[in-house]
Amino acid sequence: MKLSGLFKVSLVASALVLAGCGGDIKVTPTVNDNSVNNSNNTTNNSGNPTDPTDPTPDPGGKDNPCTKRTVAGNEVQGEFVAPHCVYGTDFAGKTLEIEDDITFAALENGGAHVFDGAIQMGKDCNTTQNCTIDTNGPTLNVEAGATLAFRSGEAIIRIGRGAKINAVGTADAPITFTSANVFSEFDIAETGPQFADWGGIIINGFGLTNQCTNAERAANTCNATSEGITSHFGGKNNADSSGTIKFANIWYAGSGPREGGDGDDLNSLTLNAVGSGSTFDYLHIHQGFDDGIEFFGGAANIKHIVVTDTQDDSIDIDAGWQGNAQFIYVQHGTVKTKKDVTYTNDDDELVTIPAGSEGFMGNNGFETDGEKNGGEEYSEAPASNPTIANVTVVTTDGKSIRDNGASQAVKFDDAIQGQYYNALLVKAVADNNTACVEFKDDAEEAAKNDTLNFNNSVLACVNHYKNGEQFKSGGSKSEWFVNNASSQILNSAEGVLAADGFSTNTASTEITIQANNLSGLDLSFFDQVDYIGAVSDKDTTSDWYKWVQKAIAATKNQ
């Protein structure tokens, strides 16, 4: 599709062609490669060059707080360039896989662990090629308050099957995964941070995905291939653990431009067949260039998640995800690009988004797909069927800067199933004919068979459905949404949000239905509630309210 009215400033880009909504986009590397092998940076925290005659700690001496590890029999340690630790591609990169536990501690004076290359935990193994997965692989430990920053679009964190991540912050000392351009010392082009500055986090698990057949699982040859940077995932254990990420920020990640990358999209957090033994709680994902969190099968659970100004889908469900989610706040917004972004679209045409362009960020709050493959040979990994409670999606009236996809609350496709409770879907303006809910043909059957429903939810949108009120196969979408009067449809967003702009206005006279207290769900995961939406305006002292408040405040300073 051609860009039309996308940017708020006049652009030569009006003639550029973008890829269609939901498609993968090949990315052509265009960013300068700032990586080095030995991390011989001579900068300080002021952003000014360090005088080489200044006294600095011995990079390998007792004053060096940087992590060290052994590579090919040699000890390699990050270089301490106060207050930061800088790690070259001799420490971690696309050709190195880390096979021992490794820990990154919080550094004093706002210091960050800065990486030129990828952190790849565990050996990647395609079990059809004479290798064996180490089911007790290494753990990446990140301590509360630590910051890990990345200088390259191909720099990712990849947790292989059998490896784990243990990144547990606190409300007062969260962990941050971000762009090195946050720090003036590493922002060589002096642009500041922006989406796609680094690749994001990929976690590969042993869970079920309908990207593999039943026979492949039985033979231990399920080796689904990850998007973005090739690695393998999948198995037959939906209760497997790949570790924990809690109280963490994931900012400015996503797909290319990636130096040396082969072009597939990268998300801020990709959960490939990750099992329910893993924990993902209190995350803020901001300004990713593809999806916020994407599931490919598995049964991982997520809780207390904020996704802001992410280009594509905030939560993307696919390939048979069977997990739970509660307390999900999504907010679409705008961004002014700080540098050119060039990539190749689905028609192999080179597309450039020029620096200084203003455009919208956000396609679907939830993009939901049931299966990559269906039929008897995939029956052990049925279509995605999550249970999701206490959601707020605040949409815009814009179309996202990369793929021209409209800002929507949810899209259903590919035999998706699932139950939503206490959802609040918001759209205040729809002059551009954007809507809140989209149904693709392959999702209508689930809605009609009562396997896809909203319960005790509010559709507070000035335009409710893309492509009209009626299902293509007949029947009313509104009747489906209202679901025997458990849910409610409003023709505006007036009064549903509190004065803070994100919590539910529990005193609203517009919302006339009651919340579901969730007592009928699995209370080992779900918290019982008395409100609709992700956040209550009566709960301003809780960690969750403060987490959302802090996340929204952070976006205003980006």
Side-chain angles (χ1 to χ4, degrees), residues 430-450:
D431 293 339
N432 292 324
N433 201 34
T434 59
C436 270
V437 179
E438 179 182 5
F439 265 96
K440 305 294 281 188
D441 295 351
D442 290 342
E444 290 190 7
E445 183 177 353
K448 292 186 172 184
N449 289 342
D450 209 32

Side-chain angles (χ1 to χ4, degrees), residues 58 70 103 108 112 172 201 226 249 314 323 393 402 404 483 520 553:
D58 179 352
T70 299
T103 299
E108 296 180 352
D172 295 327
I201 301 172
S226 65
N249 303 306
S314 297
V393 181
R402 188 186 73 180
N404 209 29
N483 190 16

Side-chain angles (χ1 to χ4, degrees), residues 271-290:
L271 301 179
N272 288 323
V274 174
S276 61
S278 309
T279 299
F280 303 96
D281 197 4
Y282 286 99
L283 306 184
H284 177 210
I285 297 170
H286 177 62
Q287 210 180 110
F289 198 44
D290 198 52

Side-chain angles (χ1 to χ4, degrees), residues 460-541:
C461 301
V462 295
N463 192 14
H464 302 143
Y465 313 108
K466 184 176 182 179
N467 300 323
E469 159 70 25
Q470 298 295 309
F471 289 114
K472 287 186 178 180
S473 56
S476 166
K477 294 176 185 176
S478 289
E479 184 177 341
W480 161 79
F481 185 91
V482 170
N483 190 16
N484 296 316
S486 79
S487 296
Q488 180 181 6
I489 298 174
L490 303 174
N491 293 319
S492 80
E494 188 70 28
V496 298
L497 296 177
D500 56 27
F502 62 86
S503 66
T504 301
N505 177 10
T506 56
S508 171
T509 58
E510 303 296 326
I511 299 176
T512 58
I513 60 169
Q514 297 298 309
N516 189 306
N517 69 7
L518 308 181
S519 60
L521 302 184
D522 179 4
L523 297 183
S524 68
F525 174 80
F526 289 100
D527 295 343
Q528 291 191 261
V529 296
D530 61 359
Y531 63 92
I532 293 167
V535 191
S536 171
D537 63 353
K538 293 183 177 179
D539 193 26
T540 59
T541 62

